[in-house]
Amino acid sequence: MVCGLLTFFAYGNVNAQSVFDDSDYYGLPWVKNVSRPNSIENGLDGRHLSIWASHGRVYNPAQGNWKWQRVNLFGTNEDLFSQTFVIPYIIPMLENAGAVVWTPRERDWQNIETVVDNDQTLPGYKEQGKWMKSSEPGFGMPADVIQEGDAPFIKGTARWSKVRRKKASSIAKYSPYLPMPGKYAVYVSYQTLQNSIPDAHYTVVHKGVKTHFTVNQTMGGSTWVYLGTFDFGCGDDNYVTVDNVSNMKGVVTTDAVRFGGGMGNVERGGSVSGLPRCLEGARYNAQWSGAPYNVYSSRQGTDDYADDINVRRAPFDRIVPSPLADSCQHHPKVPFHSNAECIFLADFLKNRPHIFVQMRKHHISCILRSVASLNRSRSSLYKTKPEPEHSIAQDILPQLLFLLIEDRNLPFNHADCFQLSQRLRHLGRVKSGFSRNLSDLRTSISNCVQDRDIK
């Protein structure tokens, strides 16, 4: 029932190695769990992937409200449904195969969020040894919601310390206040400097259990870097440390540590979404994660929907360097769409014309989009251009017309609709893309119905 197009994972006849051509990376991984009981070799070891669950709640400047990007269908919508595959199944599968996975939408469903920062006066941050203030700006916790254009990762300061090869001489400790026990994602932030090290040592202590990580600080500075999701209590045996032990020469930097996904905190049009950040579009998480304004708001605040589409891949290219010195366009990126309102709907209804009669007028555009999605998917899967008689578009077009006519109380019956659909069937061909003909289809249907032209 779900058509998730996972690029190179979707089809068995695709050569996986060809997907990674020109994208091999031979340095230390961005993040590595050194406490895991097994070591991973081959598979996806050393691969850095970007995967996103499609869509999410966005603000509509034209209407002045927050809305889902896809229609409600069977008790859910694509903004919500795709996450139920990506977060609990696909991302862990890729990580267990050795990949480092980055996602532009918030991955933690925990709606509680606690940030511990070196700039805060709260007792949650403590230093041991010699730490210096960085000359570059760092994360600064906003006092309230984030406004359009705000950049939290230049509002504060960060710290650095020279590294040592053996015993740590400098340790920074982040102890969160968590109002209730539960599972919380842990994100760290730091700065990428000219002499940053690729093996910064972090320790996550959760209910007294220690999990050790190395983080490659030569990439991914000034953003939230995901370590993992852990079961935390509310006592003193829950914290994160970073120290200055390294096998390399250079400095280790540290800034803020975030626990939990939290609620959306980006204000648009005088209001926030009121939902957990994980349910919002990638645009808002990108701003909270330090992306520049021209990255998360390419439309200058006039079209959040378009911004959300464009921002899903851009931050990954910015924070994870490409193996090609002059290009950052070769990281494998994996979009996941359930196409819940289009492909599944049309496939379910194609031989059930009576259900069309029961549907409301506001679903007409959804059905029209289903025609385009089905033809695009058929062409993509089989690398062919289906003829009209084999196109599902032709199966549902008579029912679509019947629905349209009935909603407008026009004196046409089902047979009339079929005759009309025959005159429009050439629009079902997949040539340069059926979606480009979709506006023609809308216009033709509207004109034919209005003129009662069924001869």
Side-chain angles (χ1 to χ4, degrees):
M1 294 189 299
V2 177
C3 185
L5 302 180
L6 297 182
T7 60
F8 57 93
F9 297 103
Y11 313 113
N13 60 347
V14 175
N15 184 349
Q17 182 58 45
S18 66
V19 176
F20 292 107
D21 287 346
D22 296 328
S23 67
D24 283 335
Y25 168 74
Y26 298 102
L28 294 179
W30 190 7
V31 177
K32 183 176 182 179
N33 182 347
V34 296
S35 293
R36 65 180 306 149
N38 64 306
S39 60
I40 299 175
E41 298 179 357
N42 300 320
L44 295 177
D45 181 40
R47 306 295 186 186
H48 293 72
L49 306 179
S50 173
I51 179 172
W52 56 85
S54 55
H55 309 299
R57 192 83 163 178
V58 295
Y59 179 74
N60 187 325
Q63 298 179 0
N65 59 7
W66 290 80
K67 62 190 300 182
W68 298 115
Q69 298 184 42
R70 294 295 182 261
V71 300
N72 295 330
L73 182 68
F74 301 126
T76 186
N77 57 51
E78 189 175 354
D79 305 59
L80 304 173
F81 191 54
S82 57
Q83 280 194 329
T84 64
F85 291 86
V86 172
I87 303 300
Y89 300 112
I90 295 178
I91 289 180
M93 176 191 72
L94 298 173
E95 291 175 335
N96 289 336
V100 177
V101 179
W102 178 88
T103 178
R105 290 182 69 183
E106 173 59 55
R107 69 168 72 187
D108 189 11
W109 293 343
Q110 172 64 258
N111 61 9
I112 296 174
E113 178 185 46
T114 296
V115 177
V116 183
D117 184 26
N118 65 287
D119 294 313
Q120 293 174 332
T121 58
L122 299 175
Y125 177 78
K126 294 182 179 179
E127 290 182 353
Q128 174 186 326
K130 188 176 181 179
W131 290 90
M132 307 292 290
K133 179 181 177 180
S134 175
S135 59
E136 300 294 330
F139 176 83
M141 188 67 183
D144 199 359
V145 297
I146 299 177
Q147 303 292 335
E148 177 78 356
D150 284 350
F153 274 88
I154 62 171
K155 299 292 187 180
T157 66
R159 311 286 285 171
W160 67 268
S161 179
K162 289 185 178 180
V163 300
R164 299 182 59 175
R165 285 188 175 270
K166 296 182 180 180
K167 186 177 180 180
S169 62
S170 299
I171 302 174
K173 181 179 180 181
Y174 298 81
S175 301
Y177 168 73
L178 301 175
M180 61 179 61
K183 292 186 179 296
Y184 294 81
V186 172
Y187 297 86
V188 300
S189 63
Y190 50 85
Q191 292 184 333
T192 294
L193 306 177
Q194 188 174 7
N195 55 345
S196 290
I197 57 173
D199 60 345
H201 177 227
Y202 288 82
T203 304
V204 179
V205 181
H206 43 106
K207 290 186 175 180
V209 178
K210 295 183 178 181
T211 303
H212 299 275
F213 293 86
T214 58
V215 175
N216 189 341
Q217 292 193 347
T218 66
M219 64 177 78
S222 301
T223 189
W224 298 118
V225 179
Y226 177 79
L227 297 187
T229 299
F230 307 90
D231 195 10
F232 285 97
C234 298
D236 296 333
D237 55 350
N238 301 276
Y239 55 89
V240 173
T241 64
V242 56
D243 59 50
N244 67 336
V245 172
S246 173
N247 292 321
M248 307 294 180
K249 293 182 179 180
V251 300
V252 59
T253 63
T254 191
D255 196 348
V257 175
R258 178 162 70 93
F259 302 81
M263 299 292 290
N265 62 344
V266 176
E267 183 178 276
R268 298 287 287 129
S271 67
V272 295
S273 71
L275 296 176
R277 186 176 291 114
C278 64
L279 301 184
E280 294 183 339
R283 181 193 195 275
Y284 314 106
N285 189 53
Q287 182 179 2
W288 177 232
S289 301
Y293 183 71
N294 65 341
V295 171
Y296 71 81
S297 187
S298 58
R299 301 300 178 93
Q300 305 294 309
T302 62
D303 191 342
D304 288 21
Y305 174 80
D307 289 341
D308 185 63
I309 295 174
N310 296 330
V311 80
R312 294 171 194 166
R313 60 181 295 166
F316 188 58
D317 290 330
R318 183 181 67 89
I319 58 184
V320 180
S322 168
L324 301 181
D326 298 324
S327 175
C328 290
Q329 302 301 321
H330 293 270
H331 294 296
K333 301 172 182 69
V334 187
F336 184 98
H337 293 263
S338 71
N339 289 332
E341 70 159 327
C342 294
I343 292 181
F344 173 64
L345 177 63
D347 190 51
F348 179 76
L349 297 176
K350 65 179 181 179
N351 294 317
R352 298 170 174 84
H354 62 283
I355 297 182
F356 279 87
V357 178
Q358 301 170 13
M359 298 179 70
R360 297 179 180 177
K361 184 183 298 183
H362 69 268
H363 282 115
I364 292 176
S365 62
C366 173
I367 303 169
L368 284 168
R369 282 198 298 273
S370 72
V371 176
S373 295
L374 279 162
N375 279 278
R376 285 199 307 270
S377 297
R378 180 186 294 274
S379 178
S380 175
L381 283 171
Y382 302 108
K383 309 300 182 184
T384 60
K385 298 180 179 181
E387 294 300 320
E389 57 269 25
H390 301 302
S391 173
I392 298 177
Q394 309 312 309
D395 296 334
I396 71 171
L397 196 52
Q399 288 79 29
L400 168 61
L401 296 171
F402 185 60
L403 170 68
L404 218 164
I405 290 169
E406 184 187 65
D407 279 337
R408 297 190 181 186
N409 296 317
L410 297 176
F412 291 143
N413 57 35
H414 193 274
D416 296 331
C417 295
F418 182 77
Q419 294 178 36
L420 179 58
S421 70
Q422 292 295 97
R423 298 189 58 190
L424 300 172
R425 64 181 299 169
H426 67 280
L427 292 174
R429 288 191 174 93
V430 179
K431 293 183 178 178
S432 60
F434 189 79
S435 59
R436 194 168 68 178
N437 291 328
L438 192 55
S439 60
D440 297 333
L441 178 59
R442 294 176 191 269
T443 302
S444 297
I445 292 175
S446 178
N447 291 341
C448 289
V449 170
Q450 182 176 359
D451 298 337
R452 295 169 172 79
D453 180 11
I454 58 170
K455 296 181 182 178

